[in-house]
Amino acid sequence: MKLPIKNTLFTALLLTGLAACEVDRLPETNISDETFWKTESDIKTANNYLYTFLPAFNTEDNWSDDAFGLASNNISDGSRLAPATATGDYNTPYNLIRAANNILEKAPRAAGAVTPATLDRYLAEARFFRAWSYFSLVQKYGGVPLILKTLTDTSPELVTPAATRDEVLAQIYQDLDFAAQKLPTPTALGAADYGRISNTAALAFKARVALFEGTRAKFHKYGEPTKHLTLAVAAAKAVIDSKEHDLFSNYFNLFQLAGEGRQNRENIIVRQYGVSNTDRVSTHAYFRSSLETGNMNPTRSLADSYLMKDGLPITKSPLYKAPVKSVDVFANRDTRMSDTFLKAGDPYMTTKPVFDIANLVFNKTGFTFRKYANIDDWNTQASTIDRALLRYAEVLVTYAEAKYELDGAITDADLDLTINRLRARGGVAKLTNALVTANALDMREEIRRERRVELAQEGFRYWDLIRWKTAETELTKPVLGNYFFKSEYVSSTVNLTPDNYILVQAASFRKFDPAKDYLWPFPVNEIALNPELKQNPGW
């Protein structure tokens, strides 16, 4: 059963003040308080609006070295400027924070009509979404204005300095701890409330936040990395020990209708769309509008990161043979590669039912992403496949990475608990300390590799480069595509490297300034509105 958003969304919009504005005012005239906030149904209606802020499908992987669109991306190639006015990157999180703060203030008015546990559950949902928003902001901007109540046009908080990143993170942890304590388990939510935030969702998200900040502090050399990494390990382990989640058996079907609903215990947080075109909250056209049309295509850098079945990279494995035709790229590889990349013989689209080779007019890298590709959805342009936002697989790689970064080593037992479960699903040999030693591998790099391939096309890679402080190295490299198979590709104008790989963007057109690009610029108009808000360094 899907979230009952459709019939309650309009009311929720009125209650939370949909109109966009700056950091942020919530005019009291926009709130219908007198007849609302009386019952559990009222609170749930207001909370349903929070779920509409869960991220829809997008092309954010183009910010990283994993993907490239129809043209260069000004974030990945370092050519962007500070925006004159605030966009959704800045405004949308504050709109959600405002809506959450409104619920936290007004929902207690129904205390006489609901039990304390019921009230706490909805307050916990609101606090989760506030934490979700603040993490989005701190990832991009570092310290930001910390707004914990609804504001009017005369509120002094509108012209106060940004809080430090430590202060923002402390509030995120506080909100997530409350949510983890007060929210139901996935089992308690059951099928009827599938899709609502659970206690394990709060814990899993806390692990994501803490891993990000712990590794960022470690590699950028500031703050208290040990504190955050310890929190990441504890939160991820709590999710593992809960036994509420497990891996779905089929990686490709995770991102199809077959992977939807309560029966898939791997999904922890999803953006829901619907059951079918006649029973839906909304729809998307991600496959046709983003993947098939070339708005986001995988790179050679991503392709080369997939291991051979023996657990070794292509540069070390005796199984690797230079490809002669396009399907050879997938031979003896981690099966997650063929689940993530389209290959000859795969179902494709209504006007071309069977895929053969990427169209270089659109798919500039010569590769095409496959996750969420569905031939029926291409035809209708109205897919109801949910977007997975946080999976149990992420919890496992988070635990492994946090353990390694905290201890400087990881046991084979912890590898079996985490990474080797993912490798088994991909048909890849185990990662062990002996394998690393025998083949002169680097354990940190192998853990990072596992994260990259498991979570490919899911919006993680750019932020991983930021926290590891490797963006200055990886994003300045040329963007390469597939080997140019002359007998298969239909193109005569493509640029090639001397060894015959598609050259999408030369290194001379790419830059990353470590003095400024690890933080995003505040919109210029926000600084004008609040003179106490200072621009990030270098912008």
Side-chain angles (χ1 to χ4, degrees), residues 194-243:
Y194 172 76
R196 299 200 82 90
I197 302 299
S198 65
N199 72 322
T200 53
L203 288 167
F205 186 63
K206 182 180 180 182
R208 178 188 291 182
V209 173
L211 177 70
F212 179 87
E213 189 61 17
T215 49
R216 193 182 192 283
K218 179 175 181 175
F219 296 110
H220 289 256
K221 302 187 185 306
Y222 69 85
E224 302 177 88
T226 298
K227 179 184 80 171
H228 298 288
L229 290 169
T230 301
L231 291 174
V233 168
K237 192 60 161 59
V239 178
I240 294 169
D241 291 344
S242 75
K243 306 298 184 184

Side-chain angles (χ1 to χ4, degrees), residues 161-172:
T164 66
R165 68 183 300 128
D166 284 343
E167 290 169 336
V168 178
L169 285 159
Q171 184 61 51
I172 291 172

Side-chain angles (χ1 to χ4, degrees), residues 7 15 177 211 325 449 463 468 495 520:
N7 297 328
L15 293 169
D177 287 343
L211 177 70
K325 53 187 183 298
R449 179 201 304 276
W463 297 113
W468 294 331
N495 294 319
W520 285 29

Side-chain angles (χ1 to χ4, degrees), residues 170-197:
Q171 184 61 51
I172 291 172
Y173 290 144
Q174 187 180 105
D175 283 346
L176 292 176
D177 287 343
F178 182 89
Q181 292 169 9
K182 302 298 183 180
L183 287 170
T185 65
T187 298
L189 286 173
D193 273 335
Y194 172 76
R196 299 200 82 90
I197 302 299

Side-chain angles (χ1 to χ4, degrees), residues 85-95 136-137 140-141 520 523:
T85 58
T87 63
D89 293 313
Y90 190 78
N91 273 344
T92 298
Y94 275 114
N95 287 338
S136 173
L137 289 166
K140 295 180 176 77
Y141 305 102
W520 285 29

